[in-house]
Amino acid sequence: MVSSRETHVTQQPGPADARGGGQFWRARNFMLFFVATSASTLGSAMVSVALTFAVLSHGHSAMILGVVLAAQAAPVVVLMVPAGAVADLWPRRSLMVGADLLRCASQGLTAVLMAGAHPSVAALVALVALVGIGNAFYGPAESGLIPVLARPEDLRRVNSLLSLSGSITAILGPSLGGMLVAVGSAPIAIGCDALTYAVSATCLSFMRTMRPTRRAATPFHTHLLTGWREFHRRRWLILMTAQYGILNLAAFAPFLILGPVSLAGTPHGARSWGIISSAVGIGGIVGGVIILFWRASRPLILYELAASALIVPLFLLARQAPVPVVALGGIAFGAGMVILNLVAQTTIQRQVPEEALSRINALFGLVAQGLTPLSYAMCGFLARSVGTKPVLVAGCVVVGASVVVLLMCRETWQLRDVPA
């Protein structure tokens, strides 16, 4: 198989760079990328609320809603690693444009379908599965394209700005989606999501690129194995990825699942959890600002500090602290989660060769996202078996133990924030 790779103007310094032209195109490309990412993220945040209530408003049960949401999540888990290999072989920008167009068409048809009186569940499942396929290919290509758009020394700030945009849209999107649902226009919210994908595809299409270069033919399975070898020979990456999986099971799921459960039996429980959820969004902004202005020379130490912050909200929920106090824990949770993601993303971008970047990010993302359904199911089962408080306390212990173990590993202290 002969593959083509896309080389951007920022990679090859030349006369334009000496005159400042390369810096201009780097800024131009990043602004187009920033607008594309922000637009599609806002639309996705809106549709997360709109699709849920659109399904329920047609009289479907919670089980049907679960099937619909699972149909969108499953392709990401199944296709993420192969999609990472494809993104390392073929032009990443082109893959992202194709994924955007697929998601735009799927969401547009979903809006039309849900505007009808009796939408077909089978058709809805098929359409949201196409969105999931687009998500599976967009993510690895996006993570591999960022280092091409920014210099190595700017990656931390670039990732932080993208995270801040994501945190803000995560707060605004559900509110806008909820407003549209409240006036009876859930299909319009879904249609707006389709429009944001069109905006994203347009911006990405205007990014300036050089003529693609050619690489030698490589069998696809060999390409996958090469990516696994690149992952396996970095022990710090294995440790970081394994701990993220542990945090998924011991911190993320207990907080997001057992938090609402703990408040469900209290007066104004839904409103209280809404306050805490908003605090998580605020914490995400705080975490993005911290990374924007603080350069950690040993990134994995900062990674462990962020992981330890996740203990705070679990402990407060276990102690049944007042809602304002738990909201402060929610700020710690949001900040810790964003710092974990930003440190992981930036460190991988600076330590892994560009030609293997999408495969490595896909393997990390498989643990980050692939364990989410399992962690939710395990958390609910354990809470029902032994109670909410023991699960929260166990989460505190497991997270704390993982931090202590990794701080005892020499790789945590030896890895420096310099390009490999």
Side-chain angles (χ1 to χ4, degrees), residues 375-391:
S375 62
Y376 286 171
M378 285 183 57
C379 182
F381 173 77
L382 290 173
R384 183 176 180 180
S385 301
V386 301
T388 299
K389 184 175 180 178
V391 175

Side-chain angles (χ1 to χ4, degrees), residues 23 41 56 216 220 235 367:
Q23 189 74 12
T41 303
L56 296 176
F220 189 73
R235 191 165 185 266
V367 175

Side-chain angles (χ1 to χ4, degrees), residues 78-127:
V78 174
L79 296 176
M80 180 173 290
V81 173
V86 171
D88 279 336
L89 281 171
W90 297 97
R92 292 175 178 134
R93 186 197 62 161
S94 300
L95 285 175
M96 293 167 67
V97 171
D100 274 335
L101 293 176
L102 175 63
R103 295 186 294 181
C104 174
S106 301
Q107 291 293 63
L109 292 173
T110 300
V112 174
L113 179 70
M114 299 309 290
H118 302 288
S120 166
V121 174
L124 178 60
V125 168
L127 288 171

Side-chain angles (χ1 to χ4, degrees), residues 39 104 107 190-200:
C104 174
Q107 291 293 63
I190 299 173
C192 288
D193 187 34
L195 181 62
T196 62
Y197 290 133
V199 171
S200 177

Side-chain angles (χ1 to χ4, degrees), residues 255 259 262-263 266-277 279 316-317 320-331:
F255 179 76
S262 300
L263 297 171
T266 64
H268 311 294
R271 186 176 66 182
S272 298
W273 183 247
I275 294 172
I276 295 171
S277 298
L316 293 175
L317 284 173
Q320 297 181 333
V323 171
V325 178
V326 178
L328 293 176
I331 294 176

Side-chain angles (χ1 to χ4, degrees), residues 4 6 53 131 178 225 272 288 311 368 403:
S4 63
E6 198 169 82
F53 284 94
V131 175
L225 288 175
S272 298
I311 298 174
V403 171

Side-chain angles (χ1 to χ4, degrees), residues 10 60 62 72 98 102 135 161 176 184 198 203 221 231 254 263 303 358 393 403 414:
T10 58
H60 295 301
Q72 183 168 324
L102 175 63
N135 292 339
L161 288 172
L176 293 173
C203 291
H221 70 279
F231 180 90
L263 297 171
Y303 190 84
S358 291
V393 172
V403 171
Q414 288 178 345

Side-chain angles (χ1 to χ4, degrees), residues 9 12-23 25 210:
V9 294
Q12 303 295 333
D17 287 303
R19 299 190 302 269
Q23 189 74 12
W25 285 117
M210 294 177 63

